[in-house]
Amino acid sequence: MFALIRRTFLVTGALTLGAACATAAPIYRMTIPEPVAPYDHISVGVLNNRGDTAARMYLEVDYQNTVRTFIRASDGQLQVLPIPPALGWDSGYLVAINDAKQAIYSDETKPTARYFWDPIRGWVQILPPVEWSYVGYHVTGLNQKGDVVGYFDGLAPHDVQSTTAFSWTIIGGFRLFKPDETAYFVAVNSKRQVASNLAFLAFDHRPPAVAGNSAVRSQLGHDVLWVGDRAVNSGRELRLADKLGYSIQSAAYDINEAGAMAVTASGADLRSAMCVWRRKEELRCLDLPDNASQSLYGIGGADELLYVTNNGSIGEEAHIWRVGEEPVALKDALEPGSPAIGSVSVGDINESGVIRGGVTLVDGTRRSAIFTPLN
C-alpha cells in the first residue's frame, strides 16, 4: 500500500544498518490449541503480554448457533464471554486484549457494534455522542491502562485524507485528536504513546506531488491529545529527500511498550521497506527483493518485526527480523521435532515475542497456533 524508500538516503550516518550479529538464530516452540467439549473447532483471535488468548470455539455443523468467544488464560483456564448486547450471535471479533483481560470488540457489519469488555462491568458500548457527524468509526488498539484508540471515517469510509483519530476510556469517554488534523490511530502502549498516521496533502510533498501519510508517535495527555515526533516530516528528512530527488512518506502499524514503532517508509521509486523506528530520526529499515511484496504485522518487545512476504511462485512466508540480523522465516525457526507443516500464517506479536498465527498441516488441515520464542 505504501511504496518504500531506499536505505541509502533514509538511513544515513549513525543510522546505517549494522552487520549481522553473531547471535544464535531464533527458535520457536509451536503450540496448537485444542478445543474443549462440546466444541470441535477453535480459532485464536488475539493475544496479550501474559500469554492469555481470546479464542472462538464452535461446532462446525452449527457455527452460527454455537460460536462463543472465550478468554483462555496461559494456565489453560477458560472464561466464556457473553454475547455482546444487541447482537443475535457472536458475529464480530475481539480486536485486542490486555493483561487485565479487558478487551475491545467490533462487528464491522453493524454501524455501532463497538464494545469494551471489562471483567467487572461486563460489556460497555463504545458509542460516540449523537451530535457527532461521521460515516463510520473503528477501534484499533487497547493498552494496559484501558485506553482505547481508533478513528472516525470522515468524507468516505477508510479515506485517510478525511479521518479523525480518537481515544476513549470507560470513565472519560471520547476525546478527539484535533478536529483540524486528518489522522488515525492504530495502536497504543502503557506509556500512552500512540502509533499514528497523519495525512499530508499533495502540495506538501515533492517530487512527485502525491498525497499520503506520515507516521507519527503521538501522546495521550490527561486533557488533550498532542502530536509527538514524526518519523517522516516536513523537516530534515524531507529536505534531504528533496535534495536527492525523492518524496518520502511513511505509515505506522504498531508500537511496543518501549515506544519503538513498526513502520513502512516509501520514496518516489514506489518501493517500500519495513522499518523499526526507535527514537526521533532513528529509523532502521529492511529492504526486500524487487519481486517481493510484504505485509507488516507488528513489533515485539525486543524490537523484532513480524512480517509476511509474497514472492509469487513461492507464496506467502512469515518472517521475523531483528535489527542487525538476517530475517528468519518462522517456518524454518521451529524447534526440532515440531510437527510437519505446509505453511505458516501470522496475526500479531506480543511484548514477549510470542506470535499468534496459524498453520496448514501437510494433510491440508488449517489450525490456529501459538509460537513461543525459546532463545
Side-chain angles (χ1 to χ4, degrees), residues 114-136:
R114 317 287 184 264
Y115 291 92
F116 177 83
W117 168 259
D118 182 80
I120 297 175
R121 296 178 176 90
W123 290 110
V124 177
Q125 190 171 16
I126 303 173
L127 188 63
V130 294
E131 65 271 17
W132 288 10
S133 177
Y134 55 90
V135 173

Side-chain angles (χ1 to χ4, degrees), residues 13 31 63 196 201 227 261 292 312 324 343 356 363:
T31 304
Y63 175 86
S196 316
L201 301 178
V227 180
M261 285 170 45
S343 63
R356 173 187 63 85
D363 63 0

Side-chain angles (χ1 to χ4, degrees), residues 86-310:
L87 299 184
W89 58 291
D90 199 350
S91 57
Y93 61 97
L94 287 181
V95 178
I97 181 174
N98 65 17
D99 291 353
K101 297 182 182 177
Q102 296 171 324
I104 49 177
Y105 176 98
S106 178
D107 184 346
E108 295 282 334
T109 67
K110 300 175 176 61
T112 60
R114 317 287 184 264
Y115 291 92
F116 177 83
W117 168 259
D118 182 80
I120 297 175
R121 296 178 176 90
W123 290 110
V124 177
Q125 190 171 16
I126 303 173
L127 188 63
V130 294
E131 65 271 17
W132 288 10
S133 177
Y134 55 90
V135 173
Y137 67 108
H138 313 272
V139 290
T140 57
L142 170 70
N143 67 8
Q144 307 297 348
K145 299 178 183 296
D147 293 301
V148 177
V149 296
Y151 64 94
F152 290 100
D153 290 318
L155 302 179
H158 307 293
D159 176 10
V160 299
Q161 294 294 325
S162 63
T163 58
T164 303
F166 68 80
S167 70
W168 179 91
T169 63
I170 195 170
I171 301 299
F174 276 89
R175 287 196 178 108
L176 288 178
F177 172 65
K178 283 185 177 181
D180 58 343
E181 288 271 17
T182 54
Y184 59 99
F185 291 162
V186 295
V188 60
N189 66 16
S190 296
K191 297 178 180 178
R192 310 188 80 198
Q193 298 171 324
V194 186
S196 316
N197 291 290
L198 264 62
F200 53 77
L201 301 178
F203 57 78
D204 292 332
H205 239 31
R206 62 190 187 279
V210 293
N213 280 353
S214 177
V216 174
R217 184 164 43 226
S218 302
Q219 180 74 44
L220 302 185
H222 294 293
D223 299 313
V224 296
L225 301 173
W226 54 276
V227 180
D229 303 326
R230 290 196 185 199
V232 177
N233 57 32
S234 58
R236 176 181 177 275
E237 294 91 345
L238 281 185
R239 288 196 298 272
L240 176 60
D242 191 48
K243 186 175 180 181
L244 296 175
Y246 286 90
S247 178
I248 302 176
Q249 57 179 306
S250 60
Y253 286 78
D254 194 16
I255 189 167
N256 66 17
E257 291 296 307
M261 285 170 45
V263 305
T264 59
S266 59
D269 60 358
L270 299 183
R271 292 188 64 245
S272 62
M274 292 169 297
C275 310
V276 174
W277 182 39
R278 287 173 172 156
R279 292 181 297 275
K280 188 175 182 179
E281 297 186 14
E282 187 178 345
L283 200 62
R284 309 295 180 96
C285 296
L286 172 68
D287 282 331
L288 293 174
D290 290 339
N291 65 338
S293 62
Q294 78 285 326
S295 299
L296 186 53
Y297 281 82
I299 185 169
D303 294 356
E304 68 271 41
L305 286 187
L306 174 65
Y307 70 96
V308 172
T309 60
N310 192 328

Side-chain angles (χ1 to χ4, degrees), residues 62-68 88-89:
D62 192 12
Y63 175 86
Q64 182 165 321
N65 291 315
T66 62
V67 60
R68 293 293 184 271
W89 58 291

Side-chain angles (χ1 to χ4, degrees), residues 57-74:
M57 287 191 276
Y58 55 92
L59 292 171
E60 186 177 20
V61 296
D62 192 12
Y63 175 86
Q64 182 165 321
N65 291 315
T66 62
V67 60
R68 293 293 184 271
T69 296
F70 292 78
I71 292 179
R72 186 177 189 134
S74 54

